[in-house]
């Protein structure tokens, strides 16, 4: 047996993933949410987790530095990483939207779009034959239309509270988002037994949870 | 100010004496193995007309070719693929020669960055073989065996040759009339083994239950060969699919008889992005290295596009990736 390395993006998905792993009998006794450690091991089950910045998870997995990763569909879409996207974990649900001031006409002229996700934004508009200019921001994207930096934004929305409090409205919905389990292609092929057993166990737990809270 | 005279562009690199030596030693071993198996080395031009690659069905993405403008305004591209020019060369020069031709090459390939984090993403070396004029199982077994021997020759101890069957999926989809974009979406979901979204995408399609069942099963057809072959047989909806499975089974059987069982796995969800492949396709993986180091397969209809109908199969080794993988193993 070799260790399976799992990359987790620091932030909202970590605790949910850890408790999901716990359901599978995989336990990182040293882990608590205040810890500064970046690597945790479960030597009994040969599982190791590494905590990385969420946007880097697809890179770690695509390059084989981690065999498996847990990442939001938003980050995965933006990265375009060449990996297997095998399980929809069913948590971290939100959606990609175009948002702006209520009276904005999205079809009038070439739009200026502020976003943390330039690839997703370009792809969405270009697929419909609409050209846009993208301004890449790293946070507080809602501010951009308010201060005249952009016409609208492309961002993920969970409840819509932030948008509402800043006077923005959802103008178009792009696609739903949830946490995904991604797998490095070489790991899946060269260590099939171990990785596949892990995936089957995980899928069984998720199915059970879905039956209990539909 | 940045001095462009002192740096090299992204995606290309100098090879210092030590690295060059390592690369040369590796290539020499592989070339020798190719020669011992009667493959004759050839070379195609470093640039050719854009039309050769752009008008060809199922070749590399147009955005990824590195283009130049000729003096008369025609568009040229730096060699973005080794197999297509060799198919052209065979069709134009070997039409009247003996039907079976065995060629090998070691050559630079040029593509626009698909991976900004790979140092050699725009110029990289491929070594490979192309076997023309031989249909059937015997040729497939010969080529896959040579791929396995190549990796053994350069000292890779553990690796996996993952074998698929391009026609199995194509034969399933042939009677289904769907818009190109929808087909592309489904292919992508199968290739990514994205079961959740695949189920949703198939649900709305105007196709029969047995087709839906088959589409959903295809990405799971990987791993333990016996089970894979059996399940594949069960979901086959027409005789063509059954024929492809029998053929795959036979190829697999021959390779096992040659003692290669520990290196083999099957994956019928392997739908290569270069869709000139028509039948048996395969990829070579080394543990701990994220990308395939070998890509290969049968491409029986490629030379037909140049007016010469002959069977063909071959593979390419990504030499720089192989060196990196070997370095990682230590």
């Amino acid at each position: 047996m070799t260790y399976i390395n799992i990359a987790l993006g620091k932030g909202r998905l970590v605790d949910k993933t850890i408790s999901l792993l716990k359901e599978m009998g995989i336990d990182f006794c040293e882990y608590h949410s205040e810890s500064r450690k970046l690597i945790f091991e479960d030597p009994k089950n040969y599982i190791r987790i590494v905590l990385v910045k969420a946007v880097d998870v697809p890179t770690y997995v695509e390059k084989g530095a981690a065999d498996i990763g847990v990442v939001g569909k938003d980050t995965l879409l933006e990265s375009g990483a060449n990996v297997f996207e095998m399980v929809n974990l069913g948590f971290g649900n939100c959606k990609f939207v175009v948002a702006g001031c209520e009276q904005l006409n999205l079809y009038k002229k070439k739009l200026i779009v502020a976003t943390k996700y330039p690839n997703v934004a370009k792809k969405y508009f270009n697929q419909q034959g609409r050209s846009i200019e993208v301004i890449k921001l790293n946070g507080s994207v809602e501010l951009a239309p308010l201060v005249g930096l952009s016409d609208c934004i492309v961002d993920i929305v969970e409840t819509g509270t932030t948008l509402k409090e800043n006077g923005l409205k959802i103008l178009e919905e792009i696609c739903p988002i949830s946490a995904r389990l991604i797998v490095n292609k070489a790991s899946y092929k060269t260590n099939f037994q171990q990785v596949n057993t892990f995936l089957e166990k995980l899928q069984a737990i998720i199915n059970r949870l879905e039956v209990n809270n539909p | 100010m940045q001095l462009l005279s002192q740096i090299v562009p992204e995606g290309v690199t100098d090879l210092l004496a030590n690295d060059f030596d390592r690369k040369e030693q590796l290539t020499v071993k592989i070339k020798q193995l190719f020669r011992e198996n009667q493959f004759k080395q050839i070379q195609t031009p470093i640039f050719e007309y854009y039309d050769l690659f752009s008008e060809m069905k199922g070749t590399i993405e147009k955005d990824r070719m590195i283009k130049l403008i000729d003096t008369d305004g025609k568009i040229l591209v730096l060699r973005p693929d080794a197999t297509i020019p060799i198919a052209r060369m065979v069709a134009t020069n070997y039409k009247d020669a003996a039907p079976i031709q065995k060629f090998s090459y070691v050559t630079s390939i040029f593509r626009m960055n698909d991976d900004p984090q790979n140092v050699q993403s725009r110029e990289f070396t491929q070594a490979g073989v192309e076997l023309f004029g031989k249909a059937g199982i015997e040729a497939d077994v010969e080529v896959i065996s040579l791929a396995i021997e190549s990796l053994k020759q350069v000292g890779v101890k553990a690796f996996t040759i993952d074998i698929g069957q391009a026609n199995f999926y194509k034969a399933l989809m042939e009677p289904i009339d769907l818009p190109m974009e929808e087909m592309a979406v489904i292919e992508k979901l199968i290739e990514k083994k994205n079961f959740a979204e695949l189920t949703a995408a198939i649900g709305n399609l105007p196709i029969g239950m047995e087709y839906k069942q088959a589409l959903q099963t295809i990405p799971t057809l990987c791993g333990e060969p016996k089970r894979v072959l059996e399940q594949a047989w069960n979901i086959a909806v027409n005789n063509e699919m059954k024929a492809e499975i029998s053929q795959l089974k036979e190829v697999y059987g021959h390779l096992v008889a040659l003692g290669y069982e520990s290196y083999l796995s099957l994956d019928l969800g392997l739908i290569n992005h270069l869709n000139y492949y028509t039948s048996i396709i395969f990829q070579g993986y080394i543990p701990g290295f994220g990308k395939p180091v070998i890509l290969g397969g049968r491409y029986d209809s490629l030379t037909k596009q140049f007016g010469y109908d002959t069977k063909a199969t071959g593979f390419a080794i990504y030499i720089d990736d192989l060196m990196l993988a070997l370095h990682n193993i230590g």
Side-chain angles (χ1 to χ4, degrees):
Chain A
M1 292 274 268
T2 53
Y3 269 91
I4 296 182
N5 293 306
I6 305 179
L8 300 184
K10 283 183 276 188
R12 59 197 179 105
L13 300 179
V14 173
D15 288 341
K16 289 214 162 128
T17 311
I18 300 252
S19 52
L20 192 61
L21 291 173
K22 214 172 208 164
E23 293 270 332
M24 294 171 68
I26 299 163
D27 201 4
F28 306 98
C29 47
E30 280 183 90
Y31 176 81
H32 58 90
S33 50
E34 304 291 299
S35 172
R36 295 292 187 89
K37 268 187 75 159
L38 298 174
I39 301 181
F40 298 93
E41 284 182 357
D42 176 346
K44 202 175 88 227
N45 291 299
Y46 287 91
I47 304 281
R48 181 185 293 129
I49 51 173
V50 294
L51 298 181
V52 304
K53 201 169 155 68
V55 291
D56 294 334
V57 171
T59 311
Y60 275 79
V61 177
E62 184 177 27
K63 297 273 169 203
D67 304 299
I68 291 175
V70 173
V71 63
K73 177 79 180 177
D74 53 331
T75 310
L76 190 58
L77 277 174
E78 180 63 20
S79 76
N82 184 11
V83 293
F84 289 138
E85 183 186 333
M86 299 187 73
V87 184
N88 183 350
L89 294 170
F91 53 80
N93 292 315
C94 50
K95 57 195 171 189
F96 257 128
V97 301
V98 182
C101 301
E102 190 157 11
Q103 63 276 23
L104 177 70
N105 181 351
L106 283 175
Y107 289 85
K108 218 172 88 190
K109 59 169 180 101
K110 190 170 184 183
L111 289 171
I112 300 172
V113 182
T115 183
K116 280 192 270 186
Y117 306 90
N119 294 333
V120 172
K122 269 184 239 164
K123 197 170 165 207
Y124 172 71
F125 283 101
N126 292 350
Q127 261 175 359
Q128 305 172 24
R130 300 152 75 181
S131 23
I132 58 165
E133 293 290 336
V134 170
I135 294 179
K136 157 103 194 209
L137 295 177
N138 293 300
S140 304
V141 182
E142 296 81 7
L143 194 57
L146 303 179
V147 296
L149 188 58
S150 74
D151 296 313
C152 61
I153 64 171
V154 164
D155 206 3
I156 52 171
V157 171
E158 203 174 335
T159 57
T161 317
T162 319
L163 287 182
K164 214 171 181 182
E165 288 185 359
N166 290 292
L168 300 181
K169 263 201 75 170
I170 295 175
L171 301 171
E172 285 173 14
E173 292 193 4
I174 299 178
C175 64
I177 303 289
S178 60
R180 303 297 161 101
L181 187 105
I182 58 175
V183 182
N184 172 269
K185 290 193 169 179
S187 303
Y188 190 65
K189 303 295 182 182
T190 57
N191 192 12
F192 182 79
Q193 275 310 336
Q194 212 182 334
V195 174
N196 204 48
T197 311
F198 174 86
L199 291 174
E200 279 173 1
K201 257 201 227 165
L202 178 74
Q203 188 68 58
I205 302 268
I206 290 172
N207 293 347
R208 204 183 68 208
L209 291 176
E210 260 170 27
V211 172
N212 291 343
N213 336 286
Chain B
M1 197 188 73
Q2 206 175 27
L3 280 178
L4 286 183
S5 56
Q6 289 179 12
I7 57 173
V8 296
E10 263 179 57
V12 294
T13 184
D14 290 324
L15 266 187
L16 304 185
N18 272 342
D19 291 330
F20 186 88
D21 193 43
R22 275 182 58 220
K23 186 168 178 174
E24 189 62 17
Q25 281 180 25
L26 188 111
T27 337
V28 164
K29 281 184 199 160
I30 289 172
K31 282 207 286 199
Q32 193 188 340
L33 184 70
F34 289 169
R35 206 176 314 122
E36 282 164 11
N37 285 276
Q38 288 83 47
F39 285 87
K40 284 176 264 174
Q41 193 169 350
I42 45 130
Q43 194 178 343
T44 64
I46 199 162
F47 52 80
E48 297 209 40
Y49 287 117
Y50 173 64
D51 303 44
L52 169 63
F53 303 94
S54 68
E55 282 174 11
M56 191 65 70
K57 264 200 311 199
T59 67
I60 78 157
E61 289 160 51
K62 292 175 182 175
D63 293 354
R64 297 191 49 199
M65 293 189 234
I66 300 181
K67 302 165 194 85
L68 315 163
I69 308 290
D70 207 349
T71 46
D72 59 2
K74 290 200 175 68
I75 306 173
L76 307 170
V77 290
L78 295 182
R79 187 194 301 117
D81 177 83
T83 301
I84 294 165
I86 294 176
R88 172 195 52 70
M89 186 199 81
V90 167
T92 46
N93 296 293
Y94 287 86
K95 240 184 209 167
D96 307 316
I100 296 180
Q101 296 290 342
K102 298 168 80 170
F103 295 120
S104 73
Y105 59 87
V106 177
T107 190
S108 283
I109 303 292
F110 304 88
R111 286 181 198 165
M112 280 300 178
N113 256 4
D114 66 326
D115 183 357
Q117 272 144 328
N118 184 352
V119 281
Q120 264 174 294
S121 52
R122 289 210 277 188
E123 180 191 6
F124 53 91
T125 307
Q126 279 189 346
V129 298
E130 312 291 354
L131 169 50
F132 291 95
K134 230 170 151 181
I137 289 147
E138 199 190 328
D140 291 321
V141 172
E142 178 178 349
V143 166
I144 297 175
S145 305
L146 186 58
I148 293 173
E149 287 301 329
S150 306
L151 289 180
K152 285 168 80 175
Q153 180 90 351
V154 298
V156 189
K157 299 222 163 52
F159 57 89
T160 301
I161 300 287
D162 196 33
I163 309 172
Q165 170 53 281
N167 239 5
F168 186 70
Y169 172 77
K170 282 183 191 164
L172 173 69
M173 296 308 270
E174 207 180 34
I176 299 176
D177 189 26
L178 277 182
M180 286 273 280
E181 305 91 66
E182 265 182 74
M183 286 288 245
V185 168
I186 289 175
E187 273 168 33
K188 206 162 182 191
L189 292 175
I190 290 180
E191 198 160 272
K192 291 200 167 268
K193 298 203 189 295
N194 188 338
F195 300 110
E197 284 179 39
L198 183 63
T199 308
I202 293 170
N204 304 323
L205 293 180
I207 55 173
M209 265 318 283
E210 77 256 43
Y211 283 91
K212 289 188 182 181
Q213 175 77 31
L215 277 177
Q216 235 157 355
T217 312
I218 281 182
T220 68
L221 296 176
C222 60
E224 212 276 305
K226 239 192 208 134
R227 178 191 61 86
V228 171
L229 290 167
E230 202 173 293
Q231 278 190 343
W233 183 265
N234 291 340
I235 62 156
V237 293
N238 53 42
N239 288 334
E240 202 184 340
M241 288 172 82
K242 287 195 167 147
E244 302 296 350
I245 288 305
S246 312
Q247 195 199 11
L248 181 61
K249 196 172 177 177
E250 244 181 283
V251 168
Y252 176 74
H254 276 89
L255 291 167
V256 169
L258 288 166
Y260 295 137
E261 189 173 2
S262 62
Y263 301 116
L264 303 177
S265 78
L266 298 184
D267 186 354
L268 287 162
L270 192 66
I271 310 174
N272 207 290
H273 67 279
L274 281 179
N275 41 26
Y276 54 64
Y277 290 116
T278 52
S279 173
I280 300 270
I281 49 178
F282 57 97
Q283 304 190 336
Y285 287 100
I286 295 175
F289 191 72
K291 296 191 296 182
V293 293
I294 289 186
L295 281 184
R298 182 167 279 289
Y299 52 98
D300 284 344
S301 52
L302 188 58
T303 56
K304 211 188 319 184
Q305 302 188 44
F306 303 109
Y308 175 51
D309 195 358
T310 185
K311 307 293 174 203
T313 172
F315 68 83
I317 305 173
Y318 288 73
I319 295 290
D320 311 284
D321 286 340
L322 178 58
M323 277 175 64
L324 223 87
L326 277 168
H327 183 78
N328 290 353
I329 298 166

